[in-house]
C-alpha cells in the first residue's frame, strides 16, 4: 500500500485558513482565539508544523515586501504626511493616552465581562449536561419501572404481560440511552428475567397439576353419576319397550335414541376445572421456543401422578373411588388432548392409559386372589364396567378391560357355583320332609312364581283354597328359588359386557347340571341313606318327581330368565339349553323307591321271624298262618298311607310281595330247611292263596304274578310232573319260570324226608324224588334259570 500523501499548504490555503479566525479578519472587531484551536489541532495531527511555519513565514515576508513597496512608491507624499502625522501623532498620543485610559477601564470591565461570559457559557453547558442527564435518568427510570413492573406481574401471575414487557424493552428504538452501560447491563439481564417468568409459570402449572390430582376423583364421580343416570333412563325405556330389551347402554340403538343432556363434568355447578394455567404455560414455553421441554416435563409429571393413583395393595372397598380417580385423570387428559393441538400426543396419553390399565388389572387380580365371595367379583365387575362405560366416548381402547372382566367371570362362576352348592346342600340337609303349608292366597302366588312346575300343576294348585298343603316340601321350593337366584346372578355378571363368551349358556347348563346332580340329587341320596321314616322317604320321592319335572320346565324357562337379565348370547339366541340332571333325579328316585322297599322288607323280616312253620306236618292246614294277618294289615296300612303316586305304591307292594315270595321260596328251596314234606308245601300254598285274596281285596290282583314261580315250582312235585319238566319243549313252554336248581333243592328236601320214614311206599317215593332231583340237576345250567 503506497504511503499516504501529506497535504501541501499554499498561500491561498493558509490565507483561507487564517481568514477563518478573527485575528486576520478586517471586518471582525473582536478576537476569537478559540478558532485557532481546530486549525492548530489539525496541523498537529498531520505533523505539518514545520511546513506550516515555513509557509506562514513566506507569507509574512511577502507581506512585508508588499508593505515596503507601497511605502517606496509614495515617499513624497509620505514626507509631507509626516508632519501631518506628527501633528496627528500628538493628537493621537493624547488620544492614545485617553484610549489607553479608556482601554484600561474597558479592559478591566471586559475582563470581568469575559469572566462572567465564560461563567455563563460554562453554566449553560452544565445546565445542558444536567438536562441531558435528567432525560437519561428519566429514561432509565422508565425502563426500571418496566422491569419492576415485570416482577410485579410475575407475582400477580400475569406471565404473558411480563414476557411482552421484556420484548418491548428489547425492541426499543435506538436512543442515547441505548449506548449507556446501564442499558447494556439491563439487556444482559433479560434472559434471567425470562427464566424467572418461565420458572414462575412452571410453578403455577405444577400447582395446577396438584389441584387437578385432588379434583380428579370428583370429576370421575360426576362422570360416573352421569353415566348411571343415563343407564337408569335407558333401563326404564327398555322395560317399557320389549324390542329394546337386548340393547345395552352404548349400543347403536341406544346411541340413536339417547336424548343427550348438556352436562360438562369439567364445568358445572359442583366443580369447575380451570385449564388457564396449563394453556398459559404452553403459550409462554412456545414463545420461549421451549415447548419440547414442557412436553417432557408434563409427561413425566402425569406419569408420576398416574403411578401414585394405584395403591399397593388395593382394598376392594377402594375400587370405586380408584376407578373414579382414573376416569377423572383421563377425562382431563382427553380435554387437554383436544384443546392444545399438538402439545399432547395420543401416543403419550395411550402409554399412560395402558400402564394404568395393566396396573389396575393386576391390583384387582391380587385383591381377588383370596376372595371367596362371588359378590365381590360382581361388585368389581360392576365397578369396572361403569368405568368402561364412563370412558366409552374417549379415544382409549377398553379391550383389555373387557377381556379382564371375562377372565374374572370364570372365577366368578366357580365361586358362585361353590356358594350355591353349599346352600343347596344346607337346604337338603335341613329339610323336615313335610309338605309346605299354604295359609293365604298371596302365598300361593308367591310360591308358584318361584317353583318350576308344569302349567297344569299350577292351575290345579291355584284352584285349592287356603289353608292347604303343597305336594312338595321346603327343599323343592327353596332350591327353585336359589336356582333362579343362581341364574340371575350368573347372567348379571355378563350383562353390559360387550365381549362375552359365546359359550356362556353352555357354561350355565354345565354349572346347573353340577348343582342339580352333585349338590341336590346326590345330597338327597345321602340324606335318603340316613332316613328310616317311610313318610319322609315318600316326601323325598315326591320332591324328586317335581325335580325331574323342574329340569324340563327349567330348560323352557331359561330363555325368559335370560331376557329378564337383559342377556342373550349371539350363539344361543333362539336356541334351547339342555340339562342332563333329569337322569340323576330318576336314579335317585329309583333309589328312594328301593329304600321304601328295603324298609318294608326289613319289617317283613320281623314278621317272618314269627312265622313258626312246621316243615314235616302230618296234616294239612285249612287256614293261613296267623302272622300273615298282621303282615298284610301292616303292609296295606303303611303303603296306602304313603303320599306318593299309585304307581309307586304298586311298586312298593310289588317289592314287598316279591320279598315275601322270595322268603317263602327260600323256605322251600334254601339251605336253612333241610327237609320237608308235601303237607308243608301245601300249607305254604294256602298262605299264598290268602295273599292272592288280599291283593284282590285291595284291588291289586295283578301283583299276584310274583307268586307264579313259587306256584309252578311247587306244582311239579305235588302233581308229580317232573318227567314233563325234563322235556325241553315242555320246560320252555309250561315251566319257563321254574329254575331247575330250586326245583332240584325242593326235590332233595322231599327225598330226605322220605328216607326218614319206615313206610316202604314213602321210602320208594323218596328214592324216586332223589332220582328226579339228580335228573333235574343234570339239566344244562343255562336253561331254566
Amino acid at each position: 500500500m503506497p504511503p499516504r500523501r501529506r497535504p501541501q499548504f499554499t498561500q491561498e490555503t493558509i490565507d483561507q485558513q487564517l481568514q477563518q479566525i478573527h485575528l486576520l479578519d478586517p471586518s471582525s472587531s473582536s478576537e476569537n482565539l478559540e478558532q485557532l484551536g481546530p486549525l492548530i489541532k489539525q496541523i498537529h495531527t498531520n505533523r505539518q508544523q514545520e511546513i506550516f511555519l515555513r509557509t506562514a513565514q513566506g507569507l509574512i515576508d511577502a507581506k512585508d515586501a508588499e508593505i515596503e513597496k507601497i511605502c517606496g512608491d509614495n515617499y513624497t507624499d509620505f514626507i509631507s504626511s509626516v508632519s501631518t502625522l506628527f501633528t496627528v501623532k500628538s493628537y493621537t498620543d493624547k488620544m492614545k493616552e485617553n484610549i489607553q485610559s479608556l482601554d484600561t477601564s474597558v479592559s478591566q470591565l471586559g475582563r470581568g465581562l469575559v469572566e462572567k461570559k465564560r461563567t455563563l457559557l460554562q453554566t449553560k453547558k452544565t445546565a445542558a449536561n444536567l438536562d441531558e442527564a435528567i432525560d437519561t435518568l428519566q429514561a432509565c427510570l422508565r425502563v426500571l419501572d418496566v422491569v419492576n413492573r415485570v416482577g410485579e406481574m410475575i407475582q400477580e401471575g400475569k406471565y404473558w404481560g411480563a414476557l411482552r414487557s421484556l420484548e418491548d424493552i428489547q425492541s426499543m428504538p435506538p436512543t442515547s440511552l441505548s449506548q449507556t452501560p446501564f442499558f447494556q447491563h439491563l439487556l444482559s439481564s433479560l434472559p434471567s428475567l425470562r427464566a424467572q417468568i418461565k420458572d414462575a409459570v412452571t410453578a403455577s402449572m405444577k400447582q395446577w397439576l396438584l389441584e387437578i390430582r385432588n379434583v380428579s376423583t370428583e370429576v370421575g364421580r360426576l362422570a360416573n353419576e352421569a353415566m348411571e343416570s343415563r343407564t337408569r333412563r335407558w333401563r326404564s325405556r327398555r322395560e317399557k319397550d320389549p324390542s329394546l330389551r337386548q340393547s345395552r347402554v352404548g349400543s347403536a340403538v341406544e346411541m340413536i335414541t339417547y336424548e343427550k343432556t348438556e352436562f360438562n363434568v369439567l364445568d358445572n355447578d359442583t366443580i369447575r376445572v380451570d385449564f388457564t394455567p396449563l394453556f398459559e404455560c404452553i403459550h409462554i414455553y412456545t414463545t420461549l421456543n421451549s415447548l419440547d421441554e414442557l412436553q417432557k416435563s408434563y409427561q413425566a409429571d402425569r406419569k408420576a401422578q398416574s403411578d401414585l393413583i394405584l395403591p399397593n395393595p388395593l382394598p376392594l372397598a377402594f375400587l370405586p373411588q380408584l376407578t373414579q380417580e382414573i376416569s377423572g385423570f383421563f377425562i382431563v387428559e382427553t380435554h387437554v388432548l383436544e384443546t392444545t393441538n399438538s402439545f399432547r400426543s395420543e401416543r403419550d396419553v395411550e402409554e399412560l392409559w395402558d400402564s394404568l390399565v395393566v396396573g389396575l388389572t393386576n391390583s384387582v387380580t391380587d385383591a381377588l386372589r383370596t376372595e371367596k365371595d362371588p359378590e365381590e367379583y360382581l361388585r368389581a365387575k360392576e365397578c369396572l364396567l361403569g368405568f368402561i362405560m364412563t370412558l366409552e366416548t374417549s379415544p382409549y381402547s377398553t379391550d383389555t378391560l373387557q377381556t379382564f372382566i371375562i377372565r374374572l367371570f370364570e372365577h366368578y362362576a366357580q365361586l358362585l357355583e361353590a356358594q350355591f352348592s353349599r346352600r343347596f346342600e344346607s337346604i337338603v340337609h335341613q329339610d323336615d320332609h313335610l309338605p309346605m303349608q299354604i295359609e293365604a292366597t298371596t302365598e300361593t302366588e308367591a310360591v308358584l312364581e318361584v317353583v318350576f312346575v308344569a302349567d297344569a300343576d299350577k292351575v290345579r294348585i291355584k284352584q285349592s283354597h287356603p289353608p292347604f298343603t303343597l305336594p312338595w316340601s321346603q327343599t323343592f321350593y327353596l332350591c327353585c328359588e336359589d336356582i333362579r337366584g343362581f341364574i340371575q346372578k350368573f347372567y348379571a355378571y355378563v350383562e353390559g359386557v360387550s365381549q362375552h363368551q359365546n359359550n356362556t349358556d353352555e357354561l350355565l347348563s354345565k354349572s346347573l347340571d353340577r348343582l342339580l346332580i352333585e349338590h341336590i340329587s346326590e345330597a338327597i341320596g345321602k340324606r335318603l341313606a340316613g332316613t328310616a321314616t317311610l313318610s319322609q322317604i315318600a316326601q323325598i320321592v315326591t320332591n324328586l318327581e317335581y325335580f325331574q319335572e323342574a329340569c324340563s320346565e327349567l330348560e323352557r324357562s331359561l330363555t325368559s330368565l335370560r331376557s329378564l337379565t337383559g342377556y342373550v348370547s349371539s350363539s344361543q339366541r333362539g336356541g334351547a339349553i339342555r340339562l342332563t340332571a333329569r337322569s340323576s333325579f330318576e336314579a335317585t328316585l329309583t333309589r328312594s323307591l328301593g329304600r321304601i322297599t328295603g324298609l318294608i322288607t326289613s319289617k317283613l323280616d320281623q314278621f317272618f321271624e314269627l312265622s313258626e312253620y312246621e316243615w314235616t306236618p302230618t296234616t294239612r292246614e285249612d287256614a293261613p298262618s296267623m302272622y300273615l294277618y298282621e303282615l298284610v294289615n301292616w303292609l296295606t296300612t303303611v303303603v296306602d298311607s304313603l303320599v306318593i303316586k299309585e304307581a309307586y305304591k304298586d311298586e312298593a307292594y310289588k317289592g314287598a310281595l316279591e320279598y315275601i315270595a322270595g322268603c317263602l321260596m327260600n323256605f322251600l328251596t334254601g339251605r336253612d330247611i333241610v327237609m320237608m314234606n308235601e303237607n308243608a308245601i301245601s300249607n305254604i300254598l294256602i298262605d299264598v292263596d290268602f295273599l292272592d285274596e288280599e291283593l284282590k281285596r285291595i284291588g291289586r290282583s295283578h301283583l299276584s304274578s310274583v307268586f307264579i314261580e313259587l306256584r309252578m315250582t311247587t306244582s311239579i312235585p305235588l302233581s308229580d310232573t317232573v318227567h314233563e319238566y325234563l322235556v325241553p319243549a315242555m320246560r320252555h313252554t309250561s315251566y319257563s319260570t321254574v329254575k331247575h336248581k330250586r326245583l332240584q333243592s325242593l326235590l332233595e328236601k322231599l327225598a330226605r324226608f322220605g328216607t326218614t320214614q319206615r313206610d316202604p311206599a314213602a321210602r320208594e317215593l323218596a328214592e324216586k324224588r332223589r332220582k328226579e332231583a339228580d335228573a333235574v340237576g343234570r339239566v344244562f345250567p343255562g336253561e331254566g334259570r
Side-chain angles (χ1 to χ4, degrees):
M1 180 176 179
R4 184 176 178 180
R5 191 174 180 183
R6 295 180 177 179
Q8 299 296 322
F9 292 95
T10 63
Q11 181 177 353
E12 291 80 6
T13 303
I14 294 175
D15 287 341
Q16 290 177 0
Q17 291 176 346
L18 293 176
Q19 289 298 329
Q20 293 177 2
I21 60 175
H22 293 168
L23 293 176
L24 298 180
D25 187 1
S27 61
S28 176
S29 59
S30 63
E31 296 179 348
N32 191 357
L33 299 176
E34 293 180 357
Q35 295 187 9
L36 287 174
L39 179 60
I40 295 172
K41 182 179 179 181
Q42 184 177 8
I43 293 172
H44 180 76
T45 301
N46 294 327
R47 296 181 181 179
Q48 295 177 342
Q49 297 93 332
E50 296 295 332
I51 298 174
F52 183 77
L53 290 175
R54 286 194 301 271
T55 304
Q57 186 62 44
L59 178 62
I60 294 171
D61 293 340
K63 292 297 181 179
D64 287 341
E66 184 179 351
I67 294 172
E68 289 180 359
K69 183 180 179 181
I70 292 173
C71 290
D73 290 339
N74 298 288
Y75 182 75
T76 305
D77 294 333
F78 180 73
I79 294 297
S80 62
S81 300
V82 170
S83 60
T84 305
L85 288 173
F86 280 115
T87 302
V88 171
K89 181 179 178 184
S90 62
Y91 289 106
T92 303
D93 292 337
K94 186 177 181 179
M95 186 176 288
K96 185 176 179 182
E97 293 175 357
N98 294 332
I99 290 172
Q100 288 177 349
S101 176
L102 291 173
D103 182 58
T104 302
S105 303
V106 171
S107 297
Q108 292 176 350
L109 294 174
R111 282 194 295 271
L113 184 60
V114 168
E115 289 298 327
K116 290 181 179 179
K117 183 177 180 181
R118 288 177 178 173
T119 304
L120 179 61
L121 291 175
Q122 185 65 35
T123 301
K124 288 183 178 179
K125 187 181 294 185
T126 302
N129 291 336
L130 287 174
D131 290 339
E132 183 179 358
I134 291 171
D135 293 339
T136 303
L137 287 175
Q138 288 178 345
C140 291
L141 287 175
R142 286 193 293 272
V143 174
L144 287 174
D145 182 65
V146 172
V147 174
N148 183 61
R149 181 59 183 155
V150 167
E152 293 178 356
M153 286 189 288
I154 292 174
Q155 293 179 357
E156 294 171 0
K158 299 178 181 179
Y159 308 112
W160 174 242
L163 189 62
R164 286 292 302 272
S165 297
L166 294 183
E167 296 297 330
D168 292 342
I169 293 174
Q170 190 169 12
S171 61
M172 286 178 59
T175 62
S176 58
L177 181 64
S178 303
Q179 305 301 321
T180 61
F182 165 77
F183 189 76
Q184 298 302 320
H185 174 73
L186 188 64
L187 290 180
S188 66
S189 66
L190 292 183
S192 65
L193 291 174
R194 290 192 182 95
Q196 291 180 21
I197 296 174
K198 183 178 178 182
D199 293 341
V201 76
T202 303
S204 174
M205 192 266 291
K206 299 280 188 181
Q207 179 64 30
W208 176 81
L209 284 175
L210 179 60
E211 294 173 357
I212 285 296
R213 181 189 175 191
N214 295 333
V215 302
S216 292
T217 302
E218 183 67 11
V219 172
R221 184 185 67 81
L222 292 175
N224 189 48
E225 289 178 354
M227 178 55 66
E228 288 178 355
S229 176
R230 175 179 171 185
T231 303
R232 286 193 298 270
R233 289 197 301 271
W234 178 248
R235 193 169 290 167
S236 175
R237 184 166 186 174
R238 192 174 62 180
E239 291 174 356
K240 296 177 182 178
D241 189 352
S243 63
L244 302 176
R245 182 164 293 173
Q246 307 304 329
S247 301
R248 67 180 188 89
V249 176
S251 63
V253 176
E254 192 271 342
M255 294 293 289
I256 293 174
T257 59
Y258 173 49
E259 298 176 358
K260 188 174 182 181
T261 57
E262 293 297 332
F263 179 76
N264 187 349
V265 296
L266 296 174
D267 189 1
N268 50 72
D269 296 337
T270 304
I271 190 173
R272 183 179 184 275
V273 180
D274 186 9
F275 288 85
T276 302
L278 175 63
F279 297 154
E280 191 170 33
C281 189
I282 294 173
H283 193 44
I284 296 296
Y285 269 78
T286 301
T287 305
L288 296 176
N289 296 322
S290 301
L291 188 60
D292 291 343
E293 178 185 346
L294 178 62
Q295 288 173 328
K296 294 178 182 179
S297 173
Y298 184 86
Q299 175 70 4
D301 291 339
R302 294 300 271 171
K303 179 65 170 66
Q305 287 187 344
S306 68
D307 292 339
L308 293 174
I309 290 177
L310 294 174
N312 188 21
L314 170 64
L316 288 176
F318 183 71
L319 183 59
Q321 181 180 348
L322 175 63
T323 55
Q324 290 172 4
E325 185 173 358
I326 297 175
S327 298
F329 183 94
F330 284 100
I331 288 173
V332 170
E333 281 300 306
T334 301
H335 184 79
V336 173
L337 189 65
E338 293 173 350
T339 56
T340 57
N341 295 329
S342 60
F343 172 67
R344 293 289 280 157
S345 67
E346 292 185 2
R347 179 179 178 182
D348 290 341
V349 180
E350 286 175 358
E351 286 180 0
L352 295 178
W353 170 259
D354 294 339
S355 175
L356 261 179
V357 167
V358 171
L360 177 62
T361 54
N362 291 337
S363 296
V364 174
T365 300
D366 293 339
L368 292 174
R369 182 168 286 114
T370 59
E371 187 58 53
K372 300 301 180 184
D373 185 4
E375 289 298 326
E376 291 294 339
Y377 278 78
L378 186 58
R379 281 190 285 269
K381 169 259 174 182
E382 292 294 341
C383 187
L384 292 175
L385 186 61
F387 171 58
I388 292 172
M389 294 174 66
T390 301
L391 295 176
E392 68 176 348
T393 58
S394 63
Y396 314 115
S397 173
T398 59
D399 292 343
T400 301
L401 287 174
Q402 295 281 7
T403 303
F404 177 67
I405 290 175
I406 291 300
R407 192 165 70 246
L408 289 182
F409 174 62
E410 299 174 0
H411 299 285
Y412 170 79
Q414 294 173 359
L415 291 178
L416 188 67
E417 183 178 333
Q419 181 189 61
F420 276 86
S421 66
R422 292 189 295 270
R423 294 178 62 171
F424 286 136
E425 290 179 357
S426 176
I427 289 171
V428 173
H429 180 72
Q430 296 176 6
D431 189 23
D432 55 7
H433 296 132
L434 294 176
M436 282 186 65
Q437 185 74 24
I438 299 297
E439 300 294 342
T441 304
T442 54
E443 293 183 18
T444 304
E445 295 294 334
V447 171
L448 292 181
E449 286 181 0
V450 171
V451 296
F452 296 98
V453 295
D455 293 338
D457 291 333
K458 290 183 178 180
V459 172
R460 177 176 55 80
I461 292 172
K462 287 181 179 179
Q463 291 174 350
S464 303
H465 300 286
F468 66 93
T469 57
L470 294 171
W472 53 80
S473 67
Q474 285 284 347
T475 291
F476 180 69
Y477 168 72
L478 294 177
C479 286
C480 288
E481 185 178 46
D482 277 354
I483 287 172
R484 289 183 183 273
F486 175 79
I487 295 172
Q488 290 175 355
K489 288 187 176 182
F490 192 92
Y491 282 124
Y493 190 97
V494 295
E495 181 183 4
V497 180
S498 60
Q499 299 179 0
H500 53 73
Q501 292 175 318
N502 292 330
N503 61 341
T504 302
D505 291 340
E506 181 181 352
L507 290 176
L508 174 62
S509 63
K510 290 181 178 179
S511 294
L512 282 175
D513 273 332
R514 284 192 294 270
L515 290 173
L516 292 171
I517 294 172
E518 298 176 8
H519 305 289
I520 297 180
S521 178
E522 294 181 3
I524 291 175
K526 294 177 182 178
R527 182 77 188 277
L528 177 68
T531 303
T533 305
L534 288 173
S535 61
Q536 293 182 340
I537 297 176
Q539 185 62 62
I540 291 175
V541 170
T542 302
N543 289 346
L544 290 169
E545 285 184 296
Y546 279 100
F547 273 119
Q548 282 182 284
E549 182 182 345
C551 289
S552 301
E553 292 297 324
L554 181 57
E555 291 176 350
R556 289 191 290 269
S557 301
L558 275 176
T559 301
S560 60
L561 286 173
R562 288 181 301 182
S563 299
L564 290 175
T565 60
Y567 166 79
V568 175
S569 67
S570 59
S571 63
Q572 299 293 336
R573 186 174 288 115
I577 293 180
R578 299 299 179 188
L579 300 176
T580 60
R582 184 182 182 89
S583 59
S584 176
F585 286 112
E586 289 177 355
T588 306
L589 177 60
T590 302
R591 288 177 57 195
S592 300
L593 296 174
R595 178 65 174 163
I596 291 176
T597 301
L599 290 175
I600 291 175
T601 55
S602 65
K603 182 64 177 178
L604 293 178
D605 283 337
Q606 299 177 11
F607 286 105
F608 279 107
E609 290 176 358
L610 302 175
S611 60
E612 297 181 352
Y613 279 107
E614 176 64 37
W615 299 112
T616 57
T618 56
T619 59
R620 296 182 180 182
E621 299 289 341
D622 296 329
S625 302
M626 293 302 297
Y627 79 95
L628 285 181
Y629 289 100
E630 294 181 8
L631 184 151
V632 170
N633 183 51
W634 175 84
L635 181 62
T636 54
T637 301
V638 169
V639 176
D640 290 342
S641 65
L642 297 177
V643 187
I644 54 178
K645 290 181 178 179
E646 287 299 318
Y648 297 149
K649 290 183 180 180
D650 229 33
E651 289 189 21
Y653 273 116
K654 183 178 180 181
L657 292 171
E658 286 177 345
Y659 185 77
I660 293 172
C663 288
L664 295 177
M665 180 63 77
N666 187 57
F667 287 156
L668 295 174
T669 62
R671 296 180 180 180
D672 294 337
I673 309 300
V674 179
M675 60 182 178
M676 65 178 59
N677 58 18
E678 285 78 359
N679 292 336
I681 296 175
S682 297
N683 292 338
I684 292 292
L685 292 175
I686 291 174
D687 288 347
V688 172
D689 292 338
F690 170 75
L691 293 173
D692 284 342
E693 293 296 326
E694 289 298 315
L695 289 175
K696 292 178 183 178
R697 182 179 63 81
I698 62 176
R700 302 184 187 275
S701 58
H702 59 281
L703 297 178
S704 298
S705 60
V706 299
F707 298 112
I708 291 177
E709 181 187 0
L710 188 147
R711 288 183 179 277
M712 293 300 296
T713 302
T714 55
S715 67
I716 292 175
L718 292 179
S719 60
D720 198 16
T721 55
V722 176
H723 62 282
E724 293 180 1
Y725 179 79
L726 295 175
V727 178
M730 293 291 292
R731 183 166 64 248
H732 289 297
T733 56
S734 300
Y735 304 102
S736 59
T737 60
V738 177
K739 295 180 174 59
H740 70 280
K741 291 295 183 181
R742 292 180 175 177
L743 177 59
Q744 180 185 6
S745 177
L746 179 60
L747 291 173
E748 289 175 349
K749 290 183 180 183
L750 292 172
R752 290 193 192 97
F753 172 76
T755 57
T756 62
Q757 301 298 312
R758 296 181 179 180
D759 184 9
R763 295 178 68 86
E764 183 180 352
L765 180 60
E767 182 62 21
K768 178 182 178 183
R769 297 298 187 198
R770 186 186 64 77
K771 292 180 180 179
E772 289 176 342
D774 292 340
V776 171
R778 288 193 296 271
V779 174
F780 182 73
E783 297 181 3
R785 288 187 179 181

